[in-house]
């Protein structure tokens, strides 16, 4: 069982790091297409476009942290993934972001 959880964490770390790189690549375009002002009005999320690069960097750090056996890293990653889902009004990449949330939840519970 532990080996399955370890491999899940490794694969998720790789996947989430790739997603962080993608978010970094489109961060400027996203600020134009879906500004934080709209998200703030709808969800009450109190971040703006200046905070977004820091959240992406935190995603990269947490992705790498998932490679270590610490019980709270998956919970922190899940919280960040939910915040990002609010930023994108749902899952950004469709199925892959939704699956990331599902796997993060399972990993956190495990």
């Amino acid at each position: 069982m532990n080996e399955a959880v370890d491999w899940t964490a490794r694969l998720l770390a790789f996947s989430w790091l790739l997603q962080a790189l993608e978010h970094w690549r489109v961060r400027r375009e996203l600020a134009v297409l879906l500004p934080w002002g709209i998200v703030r009005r709808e969800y009450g999320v109190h971040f703006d476009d200046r905070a977004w690069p820091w959240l992406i960097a935190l995603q990269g750090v947490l992705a790498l942290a998932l490679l270590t056996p610490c019980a709270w890293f998956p919970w922190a990653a899940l919280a960040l993934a939910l915040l990002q889902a609010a930023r994108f009004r749902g899952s950004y990449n469709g199925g892959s972001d939704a699956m990331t949330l599902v796997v993060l939840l399972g990993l956190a519970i495990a």
Side-chain angles (χ1 to χ4, degrees), residues 2-3 20 22 28-29 51 61 63 66 91 95 106-107:
N2 285 342
E3 188 175 349
E22 180 182 11
R28 289 188 184 99
E29 292 84 357
V61 168
L66 288 173
S91 57
L107 191 61

Side-chain angles (χ1 to χ4, degrees), residues 6 9-14 61-70 73:
D6 291 344
R10 288 180 192 130
L11 292 172
L12 184 63
F14 177 72
V61 168
L62 284 174
L64 295 174
L66 288 173
L67 297 172
T68 64
C70 181
F73 286 150

Side-chain angles (χ1 to χ4, degrees), residues 27-67:
R27 70 189 185 285
R28 289 188 184 99
E29 292 84 357
L30 182 65
V32 173
L33 294 174
L34 184 61
W36 272 102
I38 293 172
V39 178
R40 192 178 305 119
R41 279 194 308 268
E42 291 179 358
Y43 296 110
V45 177
H46 299 290
F47 288 108
D48 60 20
D49 289 320
R50 293 171 294 174
W52 187 241
W54 292 103
L55 293 176
I56 297 169
L58 180 58
Q59 180 182 352
V61 168
L62 284 174
L64 295 174
L66 288 173
L67 297 172

